[in-house]
């Protein structure tokens, strides 16, 4: 058979090559397109080669030929043909600083025989044997796709086979050549190419004239241009995963607080500066367009943001993973403050579309509700059949998540509920249009809103529907993926790891059992063995009241088959438990999945623990609380199941994106940007903690960030109906407390401390006031719509702020600012500008606390109780670099037992009396708030911790006036934050819990 021989003279050039059979191919010149828009005439000619059949399965080989060439070293390759291979080889040579003088390429069937004549950067022949071996190793690893050692270079062309079409002669061959030519080159990132992509999207996606479009339309076009590059990498990653067939992680969470995608995406793709330059030439600023993006608020607080961080780390660390969640039509409510009261408005985040998602309308699964369970005989075996009373469709929407410093891009798949077409059509055909509309609304309500109010039966039912809808669609998708490549379910645990992020997805266990039993007909023992090997469960709570329970009547009505399965699981568990612990009925009752009582409930946390191979806490302290209090009975039964992985946040979002000035400064002093992937390198900042030059630059970065925050405060407060905008002093300490508003998080303690500070300043003479450290106290956070006490705390802050901000005696010594509708994007502005961050939870009530980690990474000092992950932070940064206060975990029970006998400081009583007596107005409204913290009702120990809290505030004031000491502490905080990266968390999960390995998509 004739094969194709190509002779190419291309010094230091990357090129594309498309092989095809060469019969009837006459010698003719063709032009190939190069990444930098170079073209080179190449002559193709037919030549005869005979391949040895015994070599068809040979692996890649690279040898150094004994060519009689004094000017260059000849590397000879024999490897299987694949698209983009020549680009990979030439790119490796380029990365290693080598020059290609000449290359000859022979094609033998599915194999290449290639010779590259290479010199070093000075044009000399390479003779050193050690160097030659290193070059050969790098080449083989890149060609064979060694994921751990692949050369990390920004790619210019595609090196992964998408498909291998049948190549024919004549017209068919020409089509194949054209298709390969179109597929083989990546989207370019030079300014002209980027500008063309953006303008094309303006005209053809946004449907605006390229001669007239505004900032929002420019953002839409920019986002689609970035998304194109994400999809490109995502496709290659999925093809690579399919080829390698690794064990995959499926991460199930009802909450993902993703925030904005644009800045994070372009930084992880490595094209931020290129896009900024391209936009600048078009007359737009990248930062202005980035502000046009809304937040995707598909979660509430730390757990949701943690999920987003973990997805980004999974992509960065090259783990094969998919996230599953819900595509809520309305995100977490928009918080509007009117006259100091919180009001909730729908978050219409999809009103203007979401350019980052890809609607997979062809990926739909039927989700069933209600109905009955019947028996059916198949092959003389009896099986259960669930006959549903209602069905809806789950439609997939995919959101690509790019990794940093890698080609890997994974996906977050969100499910949206749509009505069943069959039911809808039947209603229309019978003329029942109203019923059709009602059915559509009922179906779409499932994924409409995050956490429906569950104070009514209808709310509880909708919440359960929401959880099961999410679970059912995800399980169907997971099983479909597995069956695409495997036939034997015994391999399921080797290919699938399922992570339950808190108790909300725990129905996944019953659903998977149902599918294996009723649809795959595996039998109970085999199905149960599979289920117990694949689930791991992470809980984020410390309170029994926060654990999900489902009324049996509700579950039996909505999911009758699942209730049967849960009863069977519980029966088997309790019978085995009796054999291990005897007839200890109290303990049996506590550990049972079914909770007896006036209202019989299913304890979803117990179900998750029983069926999971690992139960994870999210900090060391949290793990101890799980073992000794929350799940004590289970820990004594299965101590090997209980572990902890301290939560973390991603430094890409919380330093690189949100604080670019600090990012550049850290890279300068460490001499590398490698810390962005290996954050442990931050510890190197300790060597410069006393360096005066770094101190000056560090303070300048902080000042720039405070200016940004001050401008935001002025603009934001100026929008309110007040006399004037709040102007804050940059010399003041920016004291920040931003969390979900809850009694245990003790925003009320902060307000009481502010009132005490205000009272002290009012009673000072002018000389003493000159010694006061000016403060800007910033609070942000939302209260749950039904949480009246939290709403009263928000109102109290506003009335106190109105009093203090308008008091001429106070001036700039104390300012109060409430940031409404606090979200990820606002956090990216607030956190870099904060000097001090408060974390005031009563010890033993915060499972981890990821908010403090974000502030710590940005060099913000912490004022905190020894709770959650703070204990581990003390170990990393030193007790001298954090302002601690309050009772320790082991002291809290004894303090509570004292009740009314607990002594509290007079200062505490005074500030409470000021509120109670109407000093700030709304005397009657705040009466219940005062009653909650006086007279033995102070469950969260505000009075007990008040004196210690005031002392810690005084210590912070003292440190702040000593600029050298404060700056050193700030540097040491950032230097010690490496442990609190989500990269470390994910790596621990992967190695110790999920059993997954990195699967790096080669460049």
């Amino acid at each position: 058979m004739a094969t194709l021989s190509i002779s190419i003279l291309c010094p230091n050039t990357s090129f594309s090559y498309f092989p095809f059979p060469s019969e009837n191919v006459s010698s003719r010149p063709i032009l190939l397109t190069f990444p930098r828009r170079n073209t080179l005439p190449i002559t193709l000619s037919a030549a005869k080669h005979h391949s040895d059949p015994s070599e068809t399965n040979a692996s890649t080989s690279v040898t150094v030929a004994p060519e009689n060439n004094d000017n260059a070293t000849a590397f000879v390759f024999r490897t299987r043909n694949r698209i983009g291979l020549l680009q990979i080889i030439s790119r490796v040579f380029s990365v290693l600083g080598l020059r290609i003088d000449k290359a000859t390429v022979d094609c033998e069937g599915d194999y290449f025989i290639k010779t590259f004549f290479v010199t070093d950067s000075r044009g000399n022949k390479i003779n050193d044997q050690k160097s030659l071996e290193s070059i050969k190793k790098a080449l083989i690893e890149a060609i064979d796709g060694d994921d751990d050692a692949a050369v990390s270079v920004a790619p210019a062309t595609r090196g992964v086979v998408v498909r291998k079409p049948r190549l024919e002669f004549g017209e068919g061959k020409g089509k194949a050549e054209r298709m390969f030519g179109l597929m083989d080159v990546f989207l370019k990132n030079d300014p002209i190419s980027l500008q063309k992509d953006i303008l094309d999207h303006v005209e053809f996606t946004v449907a605006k004239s390229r001669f007239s479009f505004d900032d929002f339309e420019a953002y839409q076009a920019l986002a689609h241009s970035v998304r194109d590059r994400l999809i490109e990498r995502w496709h290659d990653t999925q093809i690579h995963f399919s080829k390698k067939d690794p064990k995959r992680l499926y991460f199930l969470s009802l909450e993902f607080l993703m925030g904005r995608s644009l800045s994070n995406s372009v930084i992880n793709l490595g094209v931020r500066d290129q896009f900024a330059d391209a936009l600048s030439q078009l007359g737009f600023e990248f930062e202005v367009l980035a502000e046009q993006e809304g937040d995707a608020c598909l979660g509430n607080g730390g757990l949701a943001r943690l999920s987003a961080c973990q997805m980004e780390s999974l992509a960065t660390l090259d783990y094969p993973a998919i996230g599953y969640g819900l595509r809520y039509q309305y995100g977490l409510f928009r918080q509007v403050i009117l006259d100091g009261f919180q009001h909730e408005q729908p978050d219409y985040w999809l009103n203007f579309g979401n350019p980052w998602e890809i609607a997979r309308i062809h990926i739909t699964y039927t989700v069933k509700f209600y109905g009955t369970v019947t028996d059916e005989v198949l092959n003389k075996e009896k099986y259960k059949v669930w006959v549903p009373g209602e069905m809806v469709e789950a439609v997939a929407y995919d959101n690509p998540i790019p990794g940093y410093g890698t080609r890997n891009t994974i996906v977050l798949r969100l499910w949206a509920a749509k009505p069943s077409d069959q039911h809808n059509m039947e209603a229309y055909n019978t003329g029942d249009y109203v019923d059709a509309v009602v059915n559509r609304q009922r179906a779409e309500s499932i994924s409409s809103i995050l956490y429906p109010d569950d104070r009514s039966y209808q709310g509880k039912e909708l919440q359960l529907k929401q959880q099961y809808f999410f679970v059912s669609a995800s399980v169907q998708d997971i099983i479909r993926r597995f069956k695409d490549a495997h036939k034997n379910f015994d391999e399921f645990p080797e290919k699938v790891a399922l992570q339950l992020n808190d108790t909300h997805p725990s129905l996944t266990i019953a659903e998977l059992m149902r599918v294996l039993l009723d649809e795959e007909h595996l039998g109970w023992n085999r199905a149960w063995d599979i289920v117990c090997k694949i689930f791991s469960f992470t809980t984020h709570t410390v309170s029994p009241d926060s654990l999900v329970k489902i009324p049996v009547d509700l579950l039996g009505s909505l999911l009758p088959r699942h209730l049967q399965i849960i009863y069977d699981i519980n029966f088997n568990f309790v019978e085995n438990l009796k054999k291990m612990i005897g007839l200890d009925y109290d303990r049996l009752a506590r550990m049972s999945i079914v909770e007896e009582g006036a209202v019989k409930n299913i304890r979803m946390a117990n179900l998750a623990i029983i069926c999971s191979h690992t139960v994870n806490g999210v900090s060391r302290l949290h793990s101890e609380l799980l073992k000794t209090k929350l799940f004590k009975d289970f820990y004594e039964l299965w101590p090997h199941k209980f572990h902890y992985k301290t939560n973390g946040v991603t430094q890409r979002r919380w330093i690189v994106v949100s604080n670019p000035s600090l990012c550049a400064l850290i890279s300068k002093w460490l001499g590398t940007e490698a810390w962005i992937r290996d954050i442990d390198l931050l510890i190197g900042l300790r060597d410069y903690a006393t360096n005066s030059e770094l101190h000056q630059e560090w303070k300048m970065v902080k000042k720039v960030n405070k200016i940004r925050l001050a401008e935001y405060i002025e603009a934001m407060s100026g929008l309110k109906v007040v006399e004037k905008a709040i102007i804050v002093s940059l010399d003041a300490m920016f004291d920040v407390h931003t969390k979900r508003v809850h009694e245990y998080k003790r925003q009320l303690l902060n307000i009481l401390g502010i009132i005490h500070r205000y009272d002290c300043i009012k009673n000072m003479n002018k000389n003493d006031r000159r010694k006061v450290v000016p403060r800007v106290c910033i609070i942000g956070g939302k209260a749950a719509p039904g949480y009246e006490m939290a709403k009263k705390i928000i109102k109290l802050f506003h009335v106190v702020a109105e009093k203090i901000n308008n008091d001429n005696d106070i001036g700039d010594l104390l300012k109060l600012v409430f940031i409404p509708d606090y979200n990820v994007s606002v956090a990216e502005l607030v956190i870099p500008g904060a000097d001090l961050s408060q974390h005031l939870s009563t010890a033993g009530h915060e499972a981890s606390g990821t908010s403090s980690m974000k502030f710590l990474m940005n060099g913000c000092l912490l004022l905190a109780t020894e709770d959650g992950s703070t204990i581990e932070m003390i170990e990393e940064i030193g007790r001298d670099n954090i302002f601690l206060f309050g009772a320790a975990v082991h002291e809290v029970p004894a303090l509570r037992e004292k009740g009314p006998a607990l002594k509290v400081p007079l200062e505490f009583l005074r500030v409470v009396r000021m509120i109670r007596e109407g000093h700030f107005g709304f005397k009657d409204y705040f009466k219940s708030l005062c009653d909650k913290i006086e007279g033995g009702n102070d469950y969260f120990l505000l009075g007990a911790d008040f004196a210690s809290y005031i002392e810690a505030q005084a210590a912070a004031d003292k440190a702040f006036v000593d600029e050298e000491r404060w700056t050193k502490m700030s540097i040491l905080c950032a230097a010690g934050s490496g442990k609190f990266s989500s990269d470390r968390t994910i790596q621990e999960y992967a190695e110790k819990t999920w059993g997954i390995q990195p699967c790096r998509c080669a460049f």
Side-chain angles (χ1 to χ4, degrees):
M1 173 180 172
T3 57
L4 185 69
S5 177
I6 305 178
S7 296
I8 309 173
L9 296 178
C10 49
N12 200 25
T13 308
S14 175
F15 49 85
S16 299
Y17 168 71
F18 316 116
F20 49 86
S22 59
E23 279 94 337
N24 303 320
V25 179
S26 59
S27 296
R28 65 192 189 282
I30 64 173
L31 293 179
L32 297 187
T33 303
F34 291 78
R36 297 185 182 275
R37 294 176 288 130
N38 298 326
T39 55
L40 187 68
I42 301 178
T43 302
L44 311 183
S45 60
K48 297 286 185 179
H49 293 281
H50 300 279
S51 59
D52 184 352
S54 65
E55 296 180 353
T56 55
N57 294 321
S59 61
T60 299
S61 66
V62 181
T63 58
V64 179
E67 296 282 346
N68 186 18
N69 189 326
D70 295 333
N71 300 321
T73 303
F75 288 87
V76 180
F77 299 77
R78 187 184 190 281
T79 185
R80 189 173 293 277
N81 176 11
R82 94 184 203 218
I83 297 172
L85 185 60
L86 298 185
Q87 292 94 317
I88 295 175
I89 295 170
S90 59
R91 194 155 56 246
V92 172
F93 282 134
S94 175
V95 170
L96 297 176
L98 307 177
R99 298 171 54 190
I100 303 171
D101 286 345
K102 183 176 68 172
T104 63
V105 183
D106 292 339
C107 183
E108 294 183 356
D110 284 342
Y111 282 83
F112 278 149
I113 305 295
K114 304 175 288 295
T115 305
F116 283 75
F117 295 88
V118 178
T119 63
D120 63 18
S121 59
R122 298 180 180 179
N124 300 323
K125 184 175 181 178
I126 307 162
N127 294 311
D128 179 62
Q129 192 61 35
K130 186 175 180 181
S131 298
L132 291 172
E133 291 298 321
S134 297
I135 295 168
K136 286 164 58 179
K137 181 180 178 182
L139 288 164
I140 291 173
E141 288 173 343
I143 293 169
D144 286 346
D146 185 327
D147 299 328
D148 292 328
V151 180
S152 298
V153 194
T157 50
R158 188 181 302 265
V160 179
V161 177
V162 176
R163 57 174 138 167
K164 188 174 182 180
R166 181 179 176 184
L167 300 180
E168 300 174 354
F169 301 120
E171 183 180 353
K173 180 179 64 181
K175 291 179 179 178
E177 291 179 37
R178 286 193 295 275
M179 187 187 72
F180 276 126
L182 293 170
M183 291 167 59
D184 199 54
V185 178
F186 278 117
L187 293 171
K188 299 175 184 178
N189 295 323
D190 60 277
I192 293 177
S193 298
L194 293 177
Q195 289 165 12
K196 184 180 185 305
D197 287 350
I198 293 168
L199 293 176
D200 283 348
H201 278 298
V202 167
E203 188 156 13
F204 304 120
T205 304
V206 185
K208 293 289 292 185
S209 167
R210 61 180 64 202
F211 302 107
S212 177
F213 56 98
D214 60 22
D215 285 345
F216 180 73
E217 290 152 356
Y219 156 71
Q220 290 275 340
L222 170 62
H224 279 94
S225 300
V226 176
R227 192 188 75 162
D228 291 344
R229 286 151 179 82
L230 291 174
I231 292 173
E232 193 173 54
R233 294 190 175 206
W234 174 34
H235 284 162
D236 286 351
T237 304
Q238 296 311 308
I239 291 166
H240 183 66
F241 288 170
S242 297
K243 176 183 175 183
K244 295 291 186 180
D245 191 26
K247 183 177 184 179
R248 295 198 193 196
L249 168 71
Y250 298 95
F251 188 92
L252 278 69
S253 176
L254 267 179
E255 298 184 49
F256 287 94
L257 201 54
M258 303 304 295
R260 293 174 175 172
S261 295
L262 177 58
S263 294
N264 197 72
S265 294
V266 295
I267 284 173
N268 280 13
L269 290 172
V271 293
R272 198 270 182 201
D273 292 341
Q274 295 92 316
F275 268 107
D277 290 345
L279 288 167
S280 177
Q281 295 175 29
L282 291 175
F284 292 92
E285 293 183 31
F286 180 89
E287 291 79 7
V288 173
L289 299 193
E291 288 298 315
Q292 301 298 313
E293 183 178 1
D295 273 47
C297 295
L298 306 182
N300 177 29
L303 182 147
R305 184 56 225 167
L306 171 70
S307 300
C309 287
Q310 290 180 332
M311 287 298 297
E312 196 266 359
S313 288
L314 282 165
T316 296
L317 298 178
D318 304 313
Y319 288 114
I322 297 175
Y324 288 108
L326 282 182
R327 181 182 181 266
Y328 301 103
Q329 185 176 354
Y330 308 106
L332 186 64
F333 65 87
R334 286 186 62 244
Q335 182 191 49
V336 177
I337 304 297
L338 297 174
D339 296 326
F341 292 97
Q342 171 181 297
H343 295 266
E344 301 86 31
Q345 293 183 355
D347 178 14
Y348 299 104
W349 76 287
L350 288 173
N351 267 13
F352 298 101
N354 178 14
W356 302 102
E357 68 182 8
I358 300 104
R360 298 294 196 182
I361 56 175
H362 61 288
I363 300 178
T364 63
Y365 298 101
T366 300
V367 179
K368 309 171 187 177
F369 300 106
Y370 306 108
T372 59
V373 180
T374 61
D375 293 328
E376 185 176 287
V377 177
L378 179 65
N379 296 328
K380 299 181 180 180
E381 295 284 341
K382 185 183 287 187
Y383 295 99
K384 298 290 185 182
V385 176
W386 179 17
V387 182
E390 180 181 309
M391 294 186 294
V392 299
E393 298 296 320
V395 181
Y397 288 80
D398 289 345
N399 298 262
I401 309 291
Y404 178 88
T406 177
R407 186 153 190 77
N408 282 42
T409 298
I410 60 176
V411 67
L412 170 62
R413 174 158 287 180
L414 303 177
W415 302 107
K418 305 294 180 185
S420 170
D421 291 338
Q422 179 181 357
H423 187 91
N424 223 26
M425 187 57 67
E426 288 174 358
Y428 274 110
N429 289 340
T430 58
D432 193 353
Y433 307 121
V434 173
D435 186 52
V437 172
V438 170
N439 288 331
R440 182 178 189 87
Q441 291 176 339
R442 184 189 302 125
E444 292 180 347
S445 68
I446 294 173
S447 59
S448 285
I449 189 168
L450 172 67
Y451 294 148
D453 192 336
D454 62 354
R455 287 177 289 181
S456 66
Y457 180 87
Q458 292 79 6
K460 287 183 172 66
E461 183 181 56
L462 181 57
Q463 226 179 59
L464 180 57
K465 264 191 170 183
Q466 194 175 77
Q467 292 173 15
Y468 178 67
F469 170 82
F470 156 62
V471 158
S472 176
S474 302
V475 167
Q476 291 181 71
D477 198 50
I478 292 165
I479 288 180
R480 189 266 306 166
R481 288 175 182 275
F482 174 78
K483 292 174 73 172
D484 282 347
H486 305 276
K487 296 181 179 178
N488 187 352
F489 269 94
D490 290 336
E491 300 174 8
F492 203 66
E494 300 171 10
K495 297 298 178 181
V496 172
L498 273 164
Q499 170 66 27
L500 304 178
N501 194 29
D502 221 5
T503 50
H504 305 110
S506 298
L507 274 171
T508 309
I509 295 165
E511 172 68 358
L512 183 57
M513 280 295 292
R514 185 193 69 80
V515 172
L516 295 179
L517 291 171
D518 301 350
E519 297 180 11
E520 302 299 334
H521 308 303
L522 296 191
W524 182 274
N525 291 336
R526 190 179 172 198
W528 180 248
D529 182 63
I530 291 170
V531 165
C532 291
K533 290 179 179 177
I534 64 173
F535 281 99
S536 54
F537 167 52
T538 297
T539 178
H540 298 263
T541 186
V542 296
S543 169
D545 296 335
S546 301
L547 299 175
V548 174
K549 296 178 183 179
I550 303 174
V552 166
D553 291 345
L554 174 60
L555 186 61
S557 170
L558 191 68
L559 305 171
R561 179 60 179 136
H562 296 76
L563 181 60
Q564 292 179 351
I565 291 171
I566 291 172
Y567 271 145
D568 289 341
I569 292 172
N570 192 55
F571 176 80
N572 294 336
F573 167 68
V574 171
E575 289 303 307
N576 288 328
L577 188 59
K578 289 176 182 177
K579 297 175 184 177
M580 290 184 279
I581 69 172
L583 299 179
D584 183 347
Y585 291 109
D586 287 341
R587 188 176 179 190
L588 289 170
R590 291 195 302 268
M591 298 180 72
S592 172
I593 298 172
V594 182
E595 179 185 53
E596 302 292 343
V599 177
K600 187 182 288 188
N601 290 309
I602 300 298
R603 299 180 177 120
M604 300 308 293
N606 288 21
L607 175 66
I609 294 169
I610 290 166
C611 301
S612 297
H613 58 76
T614 307
V615 179
N616 295 291
V618 292
S619 69
R620 187 196 308 149
L621 175 61
H622 182 227
S623 180
E624 290 304 311
L625 293 172
L626 296 182
K627 294 174 184 178
T628 58
K629 293 184 179 180
L630 200 60
F631 301 136
K632 181 176 183 289
D633 293 319
F634 287 103
Y635 174 69
E636 291 173 353
L637 180 67
W638 294 314
H640 63 280
K641 279 192 178 187
F642 286 79
H643 303 269
Y644 79 90
K645 283 88 179 172
T646 301
N647 283 343
V649 298
T650 170
Q651 62 271 24
R652 268 84 57 184
R653 168 76 70 169
W654 296 109
I655 301 180
V656 182
V657 172
S658 65
N659 200 344
S661 300
L662 182 62
C663 174
L665 183 61
I666 292 172
S667 298
K668 171 187 172 182
W669 282 87
L670 293 181
T672 178
E673 292 184 347
W675 65 270
I676 299 174
R677 269 184 70 99
D678 182 7
I679 197 171
D680 287 340
L681 295 175
L682 281 183
I683 203 169
L685 290 174
R686 289 180 179 173
D687 296 338
Y688 309 104
T690 58
N691 185 289
S692 59
E693 185 180 349
L694 175 58
H695 276 219
Q696 290 301 316
E697 295 177 356
W698 196 271
K699 288 188 289 185
M700 182 57 65
V701 166
K702 178 61 69 174
K703 184 174 182 180
V704 168
N705 288 320
K706 289 176 75 170
I707 290 173
R708 291 170 57 214
L709 179 53
E711 290 174 347
Y712 174 79
I713 290 171
E714 182 179 350
M716 176 270 300
S717 63
L719 294 175
K720 296 181 185 178
V721 185
V722 294
E723 293 182 4
K724 60 180 180 179
I726 299 173
I727 309 298
V728 299
S729 169
L730 296 178
D731 295 327
M733 179 196 295
F734 280 24
D735 174 0
V736 175
H737 192 185
T738 50
K739 291 180 180 289
R740 176 170 53 92
V741 182
H742 197 289
E743 287 171 275
Y744 88 81
K745 292 182 181 289
R746 301 204 292 190
Q747 284 91 349
L748 183 54
L749 177 61
N750 188 357
I751 298 172
L752 297 178
I754 291 170
I755 296 173
H756 173 72
R757 190 180 190 86
Y758 167 68
D759 190 40
C760 290
I761 296 173
K762 283 288 286 184
N763 289 291
M764 288 180 182
N765 58 43
K766 290 185 178 180
N767 290 331
D768 288 337
R769 286 179 185 174
R770 293 192 185 100
K771 302 174 184 177
V772 172
V773 176
R775 284 213 193 193
V776 178
C777 298
I778 302 168
I779 287 184
K782 299 179 180 180
Y787 194 175
E788 288 302 321
M789 203 57 65
K791 288 187 170 183
K792 289 189 176 185
I793 292 171
I794 291 175
K795 175 59 177 176
L796 177 62
F797 183 86
H798 280 87
V799 297
V800 172
E802 185 176 4
K803 183 81 170 179
I804 294 175
N805 291 341
N806 293 299
D807 191 326
N808 293 329
D809 291 340
I810 303 301
D812 288 340
L813 295 180
L814 186 60
K815 292 290 184 183
L816 275 65
V817 178
F818 186 89
I819 297 180
D821 204 34
Y822 188 75
N823 56 29
V824 176
S825 299
V826 176
E828 291 173 8
L829 192 65
V830 171
I831 292 172
D835 293 306
L836 182 73
S837 176
Q838 299 197 42
H839 306 270
L840 312 181
S841 58
T842 309
H845 283 264
E846 191 74 79
S848 178
T850 52
S851 172
S852 57
M853 301 171 185
K854 301 163 193 171
F855 285 97
L856 194 72
M857 283 183 178
N858 282 270
C860 177
L861 274 61
L862 307 182
L863 191 151
T865 54
E866 296 190 50
D867 195 20
S869 58
T870 303
I871 294 173
E872 294 163 70
M873 291 181 183
I874 295 169
E875 296 171 359
E876 297 298 313
I877 67 174
R879 187 172 287 269
D880 293 339
N881 296 309
I882 187 169
F883 305 106
L884 297 169
F885 79 98
V889 173
H890 66 276
E891 297 171 332
V892 168
L895 290 172
R896 282 179 175 155
E897 286 179 6
K898 292 182 179 180
L902 180 64
K903 292 184 179 181
V904 297
L906 294 176
E907 294 87 349
F908 177 79
L909 296 175
R910 175 174 171 79
V911 295
V912 174
R913 189 170 67 251
M914 290 174 69
I915 299 170
R916 191 183 286 280
E917 293 178 353
H919 189 80
F920 303 98
F922 295 87
K923 175 180 177 180
D924 294 336
Y925 183 74
F926 294 126
K927 179 180 182 302
S928 60
L929 198 61
C930 296
D931 290 342
K932 288 276 286 188
I933 56 176
E934 283 191 318
N937 300 319
D938 188 9
Y939 182 79
F940 294 106
L941 303 178
L942 280 71
D945 284 349
F946 190 76
S948 176
Y949 176 66
I950 296 303
E951 290 174 6
Q953 292 282 12
D957 283 338
K958 183 178 179 181
F960 188 74
V961 296
D962 185 345
E963 286 192 20
E964 184 177 349
R965 179 191 171 197
W966 186 272
T967 306
K968 178 184 175 182
M969 293 171 71
S970 175
I971 294 169
L972 291 174
C973 283
S977 65
K979 178 180 178 178
F980 306 103
S981 167
S982 52
D983 292 353
R984 188 264 318 146
T985 308
I986 288 300
Q987 195 160 0
E988 289 183 3
Y989 270 110
E991 294 172 356
K992 300 176 182 179
T993 299
W994 300 328
I996 59 174
Q997 300 293 327
C999 189
R1000 187 181 180 90
C1001 182
F1003 278 93

